């Protein structure tokens, strides 16, 4: 049995905090200088607090995630907000055990 991948554990906690709409928990898992690019509005997305407040029924379902152990992760997800859904992928960079960059891309 081998040790769990720390980056994937962080991704699990990060997704759980987002799905709980717990902004304080999300902020505890990210660096102070996080770069977060959501999929909309163009060109650079939106901020975490605005995203969580605007979509109270929203949930991310992780379809696949992986890391090569180098503080990078790729997370393929489905985002449901009540009236519909989209699928996409995030490219994540971790620094000092916290999410430092999350670049989101969506099908569509």
């Amino acid at each position: 049995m081998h040790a769990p991948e720390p980056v994937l554990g962080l991704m699990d906690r990060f997704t759980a905090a987002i799905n709980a709409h717990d902004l304080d928990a999300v902020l505890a898992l990210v660096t102070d200088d996080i770069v977060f690019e959501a999929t909309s509005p163009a060109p650079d997305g939106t901020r975490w607090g605005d995203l969580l407040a605007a979509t109270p029924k929203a949930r991310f379902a992780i379809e696949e995630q992986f890391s090569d152990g180098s503080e990078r992760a790729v997370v393929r997800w489905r985002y449901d907000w009540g009236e519909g859904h989209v699928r996409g992928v995030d490219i994540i960079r971790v620094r000092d055990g916290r999410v430092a960059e999350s670049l989101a891309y969506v099908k569509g």
Side-chain angles (χ1 to χ4, degrees):
M1 186 173 180
H2 52 82
E5 165 60 56
V7 171
L8 296 182
L10 173 62
M11 294 299 91
D12 289 342
R13 293 189 306 279
F14 188 62
T15 300
I18 291 171
N19 284 342
H21 295 258
D22 185 342
L23 183 58
D24 290 334
V26 170
L27 293 176
L29 297 171
V30 302
T31 61
D32 292 338
D33 62 344
I34 186 171
V35 173
F36 172 68
E37 292 183 2
T39 60
S40 68
D44 295 322
T46 189
R47 296 182 182 267
W48 280 111
D50 296 340
L51 175 68
L52 296 176
T55 54
K57 294 180 182 180
R59 282 193 59 75
F60 281 93
I62 303 306
E63 296 180 334
E64 179 182 16
Q65 62 184 10
F66 58 89
S67 171
D68 66 0
S70 68
E71 296 198 326
R72 305 281 292 178
V74 175
V75 180
R76 188 169 52 90
W77 45 261
R78 176 183 162 131
Y79 179 67
D80 291 277
W81 61 86
E83 300 82 34
H85 75 274
V86 294
R87 294 178 65 222
V89 65
D90 283 8
I91 299 171
I92 305 287
R93 185 173 50 88
V94 174
R95 185 175 69 238
D96 299 326
R98 295 167 61 191
V99 177
E101 183 177 66
S102 176
L103 307 177
Y105 301 90
V106 68
K107 292 180 81 165

